[in-house]
Amino acid sequence: MANKIPRVPVREQDPKVRAANFDEVCYGYNMEEASLEATRCLGCKKPRCVEACPVSVRIPDFIRCIVEGDIAAAAKTIAQDSLLPSVCGRVCPQETQCEGACILGVKGEPVAIGKLERFVGDWGREHRLTLAEPAPRNGHKVAVIGSGPAGLACAADLAKLGYEVTVFEVLHRPGGVLQYGIPEFRLPKKEVVEPEVENVRRLGVKIETDVVVGRTLTIDQLMDEEGFEAVFIGSGAGLPRFMGIPGENLNGVVSANEFLTRTNLMHAYDQQYDTPIYTGDRVVVVGGGNVAMDAVRTARRLGAESSIVYRRSEAELPARREEVHHAKEEGIDFRMLTNPVEVLGDERGWVTGVRCVRMELGEPDASGRRSPVEIPGSEFDMPCDVVIMALGTSPNPLIAATTPGLEVNRRGCLEASPDGATTREGVFAGGDAVTGAATVILAMGAGRKAAAAIDNYIQSKA
Amino acid sequence: MFQILKKTQLAPAIYLMEVEAPRVAHAAQPGQFLIVIVDEKGERIPLTICDYDAGKGTVTIVIQAIGASTMRIAALEEGDRFADFVGPLGHPSEFIHYSPEKLASTKFLFVAGGLGAAPVYPQVKWLAEHGVRSDVIIGAKNESLVLLEDEFRALTPNVHIATDDGSKGYKGLVTNLLKELVAVQGRRFDLVVAIGPMIMMKFVALTTKELDIPTIVSLNTLMVDGTGMCGACRVTVGGKTRFACVEGPEFDAHQVDFDEAMRRQGMYRTIEERKRAIEAERAAGHKCNIGL
Ligand SMILES: Cc1cc2nc3c(=O)[nH]c(=O)nc-3n(C[C@H](O)[C@H](O)[C@H](O)COP(=O)(O)OP(=O)(O)OC[C@H]3O[C@@H](n4cnc5c(N)ncnc54)[C@H](O)[C@@H]3O)c2cc1C
Ligand SMILES: Cc1cc2nc3c(=O)[nH]c(=O)nc-3n(C[C@H](O)[C@H](O)[C@H](O)COP(=O)(O)OP(=O)(O)OC[C@H]3O[C@@H](n4cnc5c(N)ncnc54)[C@H](O)[C@@H]3O)c2cc1C
Ligand code: SF4
Ligand code: SF4
Ligand code: FES
């Protein structure tokens, strides 16, 4: 029986070594390992894994191709549903999606769907597999705002349908969070992100960086002066939240976005680059999501003793399980059920520590989660030089504020129908800008749905 | 794109550059800034938009070489290109939304300290184009650092100079000249716009608070993205945290916590000093042995 084989372990960099470098942690499967792991899949008739994947990747089908040794066919199978297998294979929260539902997981270990997807994606790139050709132009122009997964996916699908697409990106490098947020050691930029962006360019998509929509150009100008018939907004959710506690503006308190942007986008960890970064000797990161894990592991790599402070318990950590596991291996100190109440500083205004209280889990709230409550009198101080706030982000209000007729909800997210139509005719949106901070695969899926809706919209007018 | 078409030296270590950037030139308004990256390894450096010409598609910047990055920018020559040049960023000055009546009845006084002349210039120019002659105080350490005097005089007759050492115009601080204009000469001002070093803005704010004149300052905080994504630029205004890059850079001077703003500006000072020392070593042709 195929399922008697244990899940094939994946080779990883030694934790002691990797805690001091920015090279990728996980090496991924080679052909042999992938073939063996692929044989574990039962090829279910009603595959639960597919139902649990937000874009319904044909999982048993692509895995069968691996078993048969036809990796190109596997790549083509995945490509029907996902445009970024090398990325999603690395960053999807598989344990709550595809792998979380795999039938093998009921009694043992689920099939390593993510690792297999990554293997196929990487193989395709290394073998220069072309999955789509530029289509003949259909004479219609569409503008895409933001070059994150939502924008790239939308642009790629439209280009395949023959649209002339221009992506406008405010930063100097395309990729959105894949470029500025998720660190090199989890998602290599030169090897993975840049080739994915290049693939989109190869379809004829133009990417114009250094353009702030809402300031350099408005959506009205794009439509009225530059001849774009429809616009897709994939501007993400980049606005960082702070706690509003005393001492938060001391020198040494930064948002995770700032810390990660300095290291990833600006390469501050590399002395060849000009952008500075400050970690001191001890860093405390507040939060428990992927962003917090990325920040704390980055701080560790920059040489600081690093801790996570999170107000719920370990079971509630929203980060991918693999990241929590890797962080622990790298020597990150986890302080669960702990909440900062004040950042402490010296007379010069620099951080010296964080005052925290201990929490306990109270009654379940409306969402069914047990909400943490403070234990009175449990204050204690954690000495540190840097505090990184990783408390979540919300959409940047700039585009909504400069586009008449575009409505947002009370969380600042753009109002949009399931296919991405906003309250403004011809303007579509998707990804984090609509949902608030979510995942790469959801953003990509939303971009693709909107591309189909934009095609419908333009064809119905023509 | 982003080619330097013209470069002139205005003062020691201060240069003016006219840069080809049609989209920025088309959208720019007084009060806004931009971010430049000198080359692939460069950092994102915020600079004021000093002038813009939508017709020619050019933007003028003024740069003072004070650190590693600004020195590298200052070393660029005509014909060279910036890797990146993004903007305009931030809100335009509020007065561009005034009604014509309000514009005509408002008496403006601009206080430009040192490099502050660069952001003040497009504001005075915009007002001149709308029929308003403002007063301008240009403050500098000494005569050689008085910037854009002729340019200002072409826009308004009311240009006052103050130098610390008295080598030109009034001898003393801009705040004293400001007091003199109001208290001794009996001039009335409805709005003061002060732009320059943080310390100067702080003292202008204290002075105008005493004189009860509403005052605007433009905050040159540290910045990374300039789009509201990182919070490096946060300042406390009226007790609330604000992001200077998207909610500013101009704020009500009487609400700004200048002491905090000055402290936050120095966040990377020691790192920057070390970097500068390394650059200097490199420039001198030594092998870097400072130890990273
Ligand atoms: C540190 C970090 C780690 C994460 N880890 C994971 C993970 O492991 N797994 C996972 O699935 N998800 C993860 N996420 C979430 C995931 O990255 C996002 O949900 C996803 O990137 C959203 O895609 P998007 O295209 O909607 O937006 P983004 O990726 O945010 O892209 C938006 C782009 O639009 C640009 N933009 C914004 N405003 C403008 C404007 N006015 N004009 C022009 N351009 C503009 C931005 O610069 C940006 O490049 C992580 C997020 C972060 C921050
Ligand atoms: C909205 C805005 C507009 C600006 N306009 C101009 C302009 O038109 N022309 C110009 O030359 N500069 C301007 N600046 C300042 C400019 O961005 C800084 O001088 C530059 O980032 C310093 O980089 P550096 O590597 O050369 O110096 P660094 O080595 O980083 O710094 C040198 C010294 O200057 C201090 N410093 C660092 N950043 C700033 C800052 N933002 N403001 C003041 N002091 C700082 C440091 O603490 C250090 O002591 C502006 C800044 C902002 C935020
Ligand atoms: S896209 Fe993500 S959720 Fe879907 S199969 Fe691939 S790894 Fe699993
Ligand atoms: S549920 Fe598991 S075993 Fe079944 S098809 Fe999906 S991956 Fe294969
Ligand atoms: S500079 Fe990053 S938010 Fe203002």
Side-chain angles (χ1 to χ4, degrees):
Chain A
M1 279 286 280
N3 59 2
K4 288 283 162 58
I5 307 168
R7 178 164 157 137
V8 177
V10 70
R11 288 164 293 115
E12 289 172 349
Q13 236 199 107
D14 184 299
K16 285 211 188 61
V17 178
R18 72 179 192 240
N21 70 40
F22 279 82
D23 300 337
E24 195 172 10
V25 168
C26 174
Y27 293 125
Y29 287 151
N30 59 26
M31 181 69 96
E32 229 171 288
E33 292 159 338
S35 306
L36 183 61
E37 177 65 17
T39 60
R40 294 182 66 229
C41 172
L42 305 175
C44 308
K45 285 256 157 41
K46 279 208 192 117
R48 297 164 33 132
C49 54
V50 176
E51 266 170 53
C53 166
V55 298
S56 309
V57 167
R58 289 152 224 223
I59 297 166
D61 301 354
F62 95 74
I63 294 184
R64 191 175 328 110
C65 297
I66 302 179
V67 174
E68 288 161 5
D70 190 350
I71 312 301
K76 280 182 197 133
T77 307
I78 297 176
Q80 293 176 37
D81 306 293
S82 171
L83 300 173
L84 301 168
S86 289
V87 176
C88 293
R90 284 175 170 82
V91 306
C92 268
Q94 286 95 5
E95 70 272 15
T96 58
Q97 299 181 356
C98 52
E99 294 180 22
C102 171
I103 191 82
L104 291 188
V106 177
K107 282 202 184 125
E109 290 242 62
V111 175
I113 303 170
K115 297 285 180 288
L116 291 174
E117 186 172 312
R118 164 187 164 153
F119 168 75
V120 173
D122 288 358
W123 187 94
R125 195 178 54 247
E126 281 149 23
H127 291 77
R128 299 179 184 280
L129 190 68
T130 332
L131 294 167
E133 299 290 338
R137 289 271 186 260
N138 69 8
H140 297 286
K141 278 175 72 175
V142 179
V144 169
I145 303 169
S147 62
L152 290 176
C154 183
D157 274 10
L158 287 168
K160 286 186 216 160
L161 293 167
Y163 289 89
E164 188 184 329
V165 185
T166 306
V167 178
F168 295 97
E169 167 60 51
V170 53
L171 295 176
H172 55 287
R173 289 209 177 88
V177 170
L178 309 183
Q179 182 67 251
Y180 78 74
I182 303 182
E184 187 72 21
F185 57 82
R186 213 150 64 81
L187 186 63
K189 309 296 166 240
K190 277 231 156 41
E191 298 76 18
V192 180
V193 180
E194 284 168 23
E196 298 286 3
V197 172
E198 216 32 59
N199 282 342
V200 176
R201 277 212 181 95
R202 218 171 285 138
L203 294 170
V205 171
K206 206 171 122 196
I207 302 181
E208 211 183 307
T209 51
D210 296 337
V211 175
V212 203
V213 175
R215 291 262 188 266
T216 316
L217 280 169
T218 60
I219 288 186
D220 285 323
Q221 282 173 316
L222 287 173
M223 299 180 89
D224 301 342
E225 294 169 22
E226 304 221 356
F228 292 101
E229 291 158 77
V231 174
F232 174 77
I233 306 172
S235 53
L239 199 71
R241 270 201 280 279
F242 286 89
M243 295 188 84
I245 56 175
E248 221 170 1
N249 285 347
L250 288 169
N251 287 10
V253 185
V254 297
S255 73
N257 265 7
E258 175 178 351
F259 192 73
L260 291 169
T261 301
R262 283 181 185 274
T263 41
N264 298 323
L265 182 70
M266 306 310 298
H267 297 261
Y269 64 86
D270 180 344
Q271 296 287 352
Q272 301 284 312
Y273 287 74
D274 293 341
T275 302
I277 192 153
Y278 178 72
T279 57
D281 298 324
R282 298 184 71 132
V283 173
V284 168
V285 177
V286 184
N290 285 320
V291 184
M293 295 308 139
D294 286 343
V296 81
R297 295 172 69 200
T298 298
R300 180 83 189 89
R301 282 162 172 73
L302 292 169
E305 297 255 338
S306 310
S307 308
I308 283 277
V309 163
Y310 179 59
R311 65 198 182 107
R312 297 175 192 263
S313 68
E314 181 156 348
E316 283 92 4
L317 280 174
R320 292 180 79 223
R321 202 180 299 149
E322 189 180 7
E323 310 313 330
V324 177
H325 172 69
H326 283 158
K328 285 190 172 163
E329 284 184 341
E330 288 160 15
I332 306 298
D333 162 47
F334 280 74
R335 304 286 183 96
M336 299 296 102
L337 290 166
T338 303
N339 203 32
V341 288
E342 182 180 353
V343 183
L344 309 168
D346 62 16
E347 63 295 339
R348 289 160 43 248
W350 283 78
V351 169
T352 57
V354 201
R355 178 154 301 156
C356 299
V357 285
R358 297 196 201 282
M359 313 289 282
E360 59 189 351
L361 291 180
E363 296 299 310
D365 61 10
S367 69
R369 286 213 295 184
R370 295 174 63 193
S371 47
V373 285
E374 281 183 17
I375 302 176
S378 65
E379 281 84 0
F380 68 102
D381 294 347
M382 283 176 76
C384 64
D385 312 300
V386 167
V387 179
I388 301 175
M389 295 294 179
L391 306 155
T393 52
S394 52
N396 190 316
L398 179 61
I399 292 176
T402 53
T403 312
L406 198 62
E407 278 168 33
V408 294
N409 65 21
R410 60 185 175 79
R411 286 162 47 234
C413 302
L414 292 172
E415 292 278 7
S417 69
D419 66 359
T422 65
T423 49
R424 177 77 193 264
E425 197 196 323
V427 179
F428 297 76
D432 283 4
V434 170
T435 56
T439 60
V440 171
I441 187 74
L442 285 171
M444 191 199 79
R448 303 195 74 191
K449 271 194 204 132
I454 288 170
D455 179 41
N456 255 332
Y457 166 77
I458 291 179
Q459 298 309 329
S460 70
K461 273 200 324 178
Chain B
M1 280 279 261
F2 313 144
Q3 189 174 27
I4 298 168
L5 304 177
K6 209 177 98 190
K7 177 185 179 186
T8 41
Q9 182 159 13
L10 299 182
I14 301 180
Y15 300 86
L16 177 146
M17 294 176 178
E18 198 178 308
V19 182
E20 172 211 15
R23 285 206 191 275
V24 186
H26 192 77
Q29 290 189 298
Q32 294 184 299
F33 65 99
L34 45 76
I35 282 185
V36 305
I37 305 180
V38 62
D39 60 27
E40 212 224 318
K41 302 203 162 51
E43 56 184 325
R44 296 174 68 93
I45 296 289
L47 298 173
T48 299
I49 297 174
C50 176
D51 202 359
Y52 44 91
D53 185 331
K56 272 169 49 187
T58 59
V59 172
T60 304
I61 54 173
V62 174
I63 179 104
Q64 179 169 31
I66 57 161
S69 294
T70 43
M71 282 184 211
R72 283 173 57 200
I73 295 172
L76 295 177
E77 297 298 340
E78 288 176 9
D80 290 344
R81 290 163 198 277
F82 285 97
D84 295 276
F85 201 86
V86 54
L89 299 167
H91 284 292
S93 304
E94 200 184 309
F95 61 71
I96 71 163
H97 304 299
Y98 282 10
S99 67
E101 300 76 47
K102 186 164 179 192
L103 260 187
S105 68
T106 306
K107 292 256 168 286
F108 291 88
L109 169 65
F110 290 88
V111 182
L115 207 66
V120 163
Y121 177 73
Q123 306 200 11
V124 174
K125 182 176 174 189
W126 188 95
L127 286 168
E129 284 166 0
H130 289 76
V132 180
R133 288 187 171 175
S134 5
D135 278 65
V136 182
I137 296 179
I138 312 177
K141 279 208 183 77
N142 59 51
E143 182 175 11
S144 75
L145 294 168
V146 174
L147 300 185
L148 305 175
E149 181 185 350
D150 297 342
E151 287 78 359
F152 280 113
R153 291 204 189 276
L155 300 173
T156 172
N158 311 325
V159 178
H160 321 272
I161 313 275
T163 51
D164 293 358
D165 63 357
S167 51
K168 180 154 195 176
Y170 179 89
K171 177 174 189 314
L173 301 172
V174 290
T175 41
N176 292 335
L177 177 53
L178 195 167
K179 272 190 223 157
E180 183 169 308
L181 289 179
V182 175
V184 181
Q185 301 186 20
R187 299 287 309 278
R188 173 182 75 88
F189 297 110
D190 305 301
L191 185 71
V192 170
V193 178
I195 312 182
M198 211 60 103
I199 187 80
M200 178 207 92
M201 295 192 280
K202 172 181 168 171
F203 282 102
V204 170
L206 288 171
T207 307
T208 57
K209 180 117 200 187
E210 253 170 54
L211 298 171
D212 200 20
I213 311 172
T215 301
I216 300 286
V217 287
S218 178
L219 297 183
N220 53 342
T221 59
L222 298 180
M223 292 188 181
V224 183
D225 60 300
T227 70
M229 189 185 84
C230 76
C233 61
R234 62 196 195 280
V235 285
T236 302
V237 182
K240 287 209 190 76
T241 294
R242 311 285 295 272
F243 286 10
C245 70
V246 282
E247 300 179 271
E250 299 192 342
F251 291 102
D252 176 350
H254 298 150
Q255 304 283 325
V256 172
D257 182 342
F258 284 105
D259 294 335
E260 178 189 279
M262 281 187 274
R263 161 169 59 71
R264 290 184 53 79
Q265 247 188 6
M267 167 104 191
Y268 293 95
R269 192 162 287 150
T270 42
I271 303 180
E272 292 295 349
E273 276 160 10
R274 193 165 58 180
K275 224 167 61 186
R276 254 193 322 277
I278 295 169
E279 284 279 318
E281 284 265 299
R282 269 195 205 129
H286 296 305
K287 236 187 82 195
C288 168
N289 53 8
I290 288 190
L292 298 172

